[in-house]
Amino acid sequence: MLPRKLADLIRKMPLTEGENRTAVPYLSVYRFSTDNIIMPNEGSPYLYFIAGGSMRLHTPSGIMDYVEGQFSVSSIDTPFCGEVLTRSAHADFLAVCVGFTAEEVISVVLELEDGLAERILCGEAVSAKAEASIASCLCKLFGICGERDLLAFMSAQIKREILFYTLLSACGRQFLQSIIGISHAGEIYEANTWIKRNFRENFTVETLAKERHMSVSSFHQKFKNAVGMGPLQCQKRLRLTEARRQMLNESVAVTDAAMDVGYESVSQFIRDYKKMFGASPKDDILSLRRQMKVEP
């Protein structure tokens, strides 16, 4: 299987805990022997391919599980940490991160022919072989990591192939919608990353806009176009998602979870929680535990 072949190629590197840089500037390997997974701290789009083990991410869209051979693409829903569900035969979790810039994504999109970009945006161009194709590209890339001259020429080409197959994947539509058609894409992704890291803190849209030399209306609209919601709504969803994770995984009390993520009013937390998840925190967690067969 391609994921196993990829893992074998990766393990030829001297791996340490956490992030491992490679000879390719946009390529990193993540290895974790603990239960916690720290997601890449990127201010731009990236692909996170699972090469060994499986993981769970708690996102505003739901609880997402990924196994060997699958990948996630950074978006508003991508948290900064996840958890290991199963380990590889080497008793660890192994993943590959491929970093992009918004400009690189748009460059590939502009070269698509026969209305393919439009079909991706309509959800009509999804390839069932996208994950295997990306795994094949990564195998090719790690296979030439020791050949400097070849790598210097091929790495850019392989990156474009990975981007192409990412656009043809099941998450291609969302990925493309989050990038194409907005200027200042780098600033928007950077702002999105800042909010993810600081969602517990109070901030204003005015401050975020001023720091990026934009008007409030322009910043708010570009942010909403890129991530599907405004900055403050993004903060609220991140707070509620993290509180949900704490209550489900760590049995944290409702009040403690609300206070930890930045709420000053528990009643407001419960109202927001019910509006987002459709049930009160207590009822929602009990329902999730029944569905996931997790003991309280």
Side-chain angles (χ1 to χ4, degrees):
M1 292 176 62
L2 281 170
R4 299 293 172 84
K5 179 182 177 182
L6 175 60
D8 289 342
L9 289 169
I10 292 171
R11 291 189 187 283
K12 293 179 180 180
M13 298 172 52
L15 299 176
T16 60
E17 188 76 2
E19 181 181 15
N20 296 264
R21 296 283 185 178
T22 72
V24 182
Y26 63 77
L27 186 71
S28 294
V29 173
Y30 284 80
R31 177 187 177 275
F32 297 100
S33 57
T34 63
D35 291 336
N36 295 322
I37 298 169
I38 305 301
M39 297 299 287
N41 182 11
E42 298 283 343
S44 56
Y46 65 83
L47 177 145
Y48 197 76
F49 190 95
I50 314 306
S54 63
M55 73 172 182
R56 172 168 293 161
L57 300 179
H58 293 260
T59 79
S61 296
I63 297 171
M64 311 293 290
D65 293 346
Y66 299 87
V67 300
E68 287 181 7
Q70 295 182 333
F71 63 88
S72 70
V73 177
S74 66
S75 68
I76 189 61
D77 283 347
T78 306
F80 268 98
C81 61
E83 59 197 77
V84 174
L85 290 181
T86 61
R87 302 179 189 280
S88 71
H90 293 259
D92 61 8
F93 172 84
L94 202 61
V96 178
C97 177
V98 180
F100 308 123
T101 66
E103 291 73 22
E104 287 171 335
V105 179
I106 293 171
S107 173
V108 170
V109 170
L110 291 175
E111 291 188 17
L112 300 180
E113 299 181 354
D114 299 323
L116 182 54
E118 289 78 8
R119 287 188 283 129
I120 291 171
L121 286 170
C122 292
E124 299 173 356
V126 177
S127 169
K129 298 180 179 179
E131 291 175 343
S133 298
I134 291 173
S136 178
C137 289
L138 291 172
C139 285
K140 189 188 308 182
L141 196 53
F142 278 97
I144 61 173
C145 268
E147 302 179 47
R148 188 174 62 178
D149 293 335
L150 182 59
L151 186 64
F153 176 78
M154 291 295 296
S155 61
Q157 310 304 318
I158 295 173
K159 185 178 190 179
R160 292 177 66 81
E161 285 186 55
I162 293 172
L163 262 174
F164 174 75
Y165 290 119
T166 300
L167 291 168
L168 290 183
S169 71
C171 60
R173 178 184 182 183
Q174 180 186 10
F175 180 52
L176 182 53
Q177 285 177 330
S178 71
I179 295 174
I180 196 167
I182 62 168
S183 58
H184 297 92
E187 289 90 337
I188 298 302
Y189 265 89
E190 190 276 332
N192 183 21
T193 298
W194 186 91
I195 292 172
K196 288 180 182 179
R197 297 179 64 183
N198 298 277
F199 65 85
R200 289 178 171 85
E201 307 299 325
N202 293 322
F203 62 84
T204 65
V205 178
E206 289 78 6
T207 300
L208 293 180
K210 183 178 180 180
E211 289 174 347
R212 288 154 187 86
H213 308 290
M214 299 185 201
S215 68
V216 173
S217 60
S218 176
F219 173 78
H220 189 276
Q221 189 59 51
K222 290 179 186 298
F223 191 98
K224 188 174 182 179
N225 288 343
V227 302
M229 67 190 78
L232 296 180
Q233 185 183 3
C234 168
Q235 178 195 40
K236 181 187 294 185
R237 288 168 67 88
L238 289 167
R239 284 179 168 182
L240 293 171
T241 300
E242 171 58 15
R244 191 189 204 197
R245 185 197 68 78
Q246 290 183 15
M247 291 185 290
L248 178 63
N249 288 2
E250 303 170 14
S251 299
V252 174
V254 173
T255 299
D256 292 338
M259 295 296 106
D260 179 73
V261 298
Y263 273 86
E264 298 177 358
S265 166
V266 177
S267 59
Q268 183 62 52
F269 168 75
I270 293 174
R271 284 194 295 271
D272 288 346
Y273 192 101
K274 189 171 183 179
K275 186 175 181 179
M276 179 169 171
F277 296 116
S280 68
K282 181 179 178 180
D283 291 343
D284 177 57
I285 297 305
L286 287 174
S287 176
L288 284 173
R289 282 179 173 152
R290 284 196 294 268
Q291 294 173 25
M292 300 168 63
K293 299 181 180 179
V294 175
E295 291 296 330

